[in-house]
Amino acid sequence: MASRSTAVRTRKFKGLDASQRQAERRTRLVAAGLQTFGHQGFQVSTVKDVCQQARLTERYFYESFGNREDLFAAVYQHCVDQLRASLVAALASVPKDPHAMVQAALRTLYRELREDPRMARILFIDVLSAHGDMDKHSLNAMMGFSDLLESYLAVLTPQLTKAEVNASLISTGLVGAVVLLVMRWAVTGFKESIDDMVRNTAVLFEAMAAHVERCCPPAAGAIPSR
């Protein structure tokens, strides 16, 4: 027969056991962190602010997070995952054509950030002033997007290696350039239109494609970059 303490630990509330309730509270805290950090900014937001937004006590905050920086890291990763999923979905929805895929990815990127400025602030502004291991999280995120871009380049521009350029370096450079453009756009209050941002950012990718084609023209029958 189970002991009283075991029965308490396994007792369900609203159909959820203890671990499920903790996971649900953590999800609420991440959502509250996105709202609080995204509107107020990381530097002025407190654990109390987040708990009030989540309608949870600080006891439950420390059940899942050691401090405010830990929550920011979780919110940051949530935004990265959401943005990556949107980009992958956009790329899968268009023909396997370099021009179409660049346009789809860039438009999705800028639209997502313009429609949710909280995400833009967390990913590209407040991350610069957050403490803890955020520099590591930021670098890992950039390298993750660089690897994603490299995987698409390997399929769309197989002649890239013949052009005597390093696909990994090219991908990292393009991602880095896009990150700086997004930072500038967010800091200046999204002054330029999405169309302007897409058109000007696409120049970077078109320049890379043009260089590859000059060095190694695509085989007969291949779809050229525009």
Side-chain angles (χ1 to χ4, degrees):
M1 183 175 179
S3 67
R4 179 179 176 82
S5 61
T6 301
V8 170
R9 286 197 302 269
T10 58
R11 184 180 299 148
K12 291 190 174 184
F13 178 72
K14 294 185 178 179
L16 302 177
D17 62 26
S19 62
Q20 291 171 324
R21 292 199 301 275
Q22 181 177 350
E24 189 269 340
R25 287 191 292 268
R26 187 182 190 280
T27 298
R28 286 170 60 184
L29 286 165
V30 170
L34 174 61
Q35 182 73 1
T36 306
F37 297 145
H39 284 291
Q40 297 180 190
F42 173 76
Q43 291 299 334
V44 300
S45 298
T46 65
V47 169
K48 183 178 180 180
D49 292 334
V50 173
C51 290
Q52 287 179 339
Q53 179 67 36
R55 296 186 179 181
L56 292 169
T57 66
E58 292 188 29
R59 166 200 166 194
Y60 288 124
F61 178 92
Y62 291 108
E63 169 188 64
S64 294
F65 303 102
N67 51 40
R68 186 180 55 140
E69 287 76 13
D70 286 349
L71 173 62
F72 186 85
V75 173
Y76 180 89
Q77 189 59 51
H78 169 78
C79 292
V80 168
D81 293 342
Q82 181 177 324
L83 191 56
R84 182 185 179 95
S86 295
L87 290 171
V88 170
L91 290 167
S93 69
V94 296
K96 295 296 185 287
D97 165 67
H99 177 78
M101 295 183 79
V102 166
Q103 291 288 317
L106 292 177
R107 189 165 297 281
T108 296
L109 169 68
Y110 289 121
R111 185 184 65 245
E112 290 270 321
L113 298 177
R114 183 65 185 85
E115 291 180 353
D116 192 349
R118 303 172 306 169
M119 187 187 301
R121 178 170 192 163
I122 288 165
L123 288 176
F124 300 101
I125 300 176
D126 281 12
V127 68
L128 299 176
S129 59
H131 305 297
D133 292 329
M134 284 315 302
D135 53 345
K136 185 188 303 182
H137 288 289
S138 180
L139 179 60
N140 287 340
M142 286 189 62
M143 296 310 297
F145 283 112
S146 176
D147 290 343
L148 179 65
L149 175 57
E150 185 179 354
S151 68
Y152 281 101
L153 289 180
V155 174
L156 295 172
T157 56
Q159 72 272 35
L160 191 63
T161 55
K162 298 179 182 178
E164 297 184 353
V165 294
N166 186 311
S168 179
L169 292 178
I170 291 294
S171 299
T172 301
L174 288 171
V175 169
V178 172
V179 166
L180 287 175
L181 284 170
V182 172
M183 284 182 178
R184 177 186 183 277
W185 193 49
V187 168
T188 57
F190 307 104
K191 183 174 62 176
E192 292 83 6
S193 69
I194 291 176
D195 286 341
D196 282 345
M197 293 302 297
V198 171
R199 183 171 56 254
N200 285 278
T201 308
V203 170
L204 301 172
F205 293 84
E206 292 165 1
M208 179 275 294
H211 171 78
V212 172
E213 288 184 8
R214 281 198 305 271
C215 296
C216 302
I223 300 176
S225 301
R226 298 179 188 176

